Amino acid sequence: MTGDAYEPTLGEVARSVNRVEREMQAGFAAIRREIAGLSFVPAPVYAADMLAYRDRVQRLEDDLEEERKERRETEKTAQQRSWQATWSVKLAAIGMPITLITSVVGALIVSGLK
């Protein structure tokens, strides 16, 4: 026997090649299905989204700072009005007896002159 007896025939080679080809096709199909299941975002889309998110956050922070400033001004105005109202009540409380006393004294003087 020579080495030729152990060499595969063309039919065997074709069947082996067909089997390898089917396995490769099945592997490629599995890879395609796996890739299709993944969700990739193109880099420019991701960059644009991130820029939009940063802009939105910056606008929110700016709005929040503006709201804080307005709240401080409102609190300052409320404190001033509270202080003014307190002093108005105190002055009215002091002024009322003075007005009554002045009216009584004035009435006594006017009645004494007649």
Side-chain angles (χ1 to χ4, degrees):
M1 280 190 132
T2 63
D4 292 337
Y6 293 107
E7 290 192 25
T9 63
L10 284 176
E12 290 173 337
V13 171
R15 283 189 294 276
S16 294
V17 168
N18 286 337
R19 183 182 50 80
V20 169
E21 186 178 1
R22 282 191 310 272
E23 289 174 0
M24 287 179 62
Q25 291 298 328
F28 287 142
I31 290 172
R32 277 195 292 279
R33 283 191 303 272
E34 189 173 332
I35 288 174
L38 298 175
S39 58
F40 289 106
V41 176
V45 173
Y46 177 78
D49 285 349
M50 291 308 294
L51 184 60
Y53 289 138
R54 282 190 209 112
D55 288 344
R56 182 175 181 212
V57 168
Q58 186 61 47
R59 283 193 312 270
L60 289 172
E61 288 176 350
D62 292 344
D63 289 347
L64 181 61
E65 184 58 32
E66 184 64 29
E67 181 69 27
R68 286 179 182 150
K69 287 178 185 177
E70 289 176 8
R71 184 168 293 181
R72 283 193 290 267
E73 288 298 319
T74 301
E75 287 175 2
K76 187 177 176 182
T77 302
Q79 288 174 351
Q80 288 175 345
R81 288 182 181 167
S82 173
W83 181 81
Q84 290 171 346
T86 301
W87 277 103
S88 296
V89 169
K90 288 178 182 178
L91 290 176
I94 293 171
M96 195 180 323
I98 293 173
T99 302
L100 287 173
I101 293 171
T102 305
S103 297
V104 170
V105 170
L108 290 174
I109 291 175
V110 169
S111 68
L113 290 177
K114 288 189 182 185

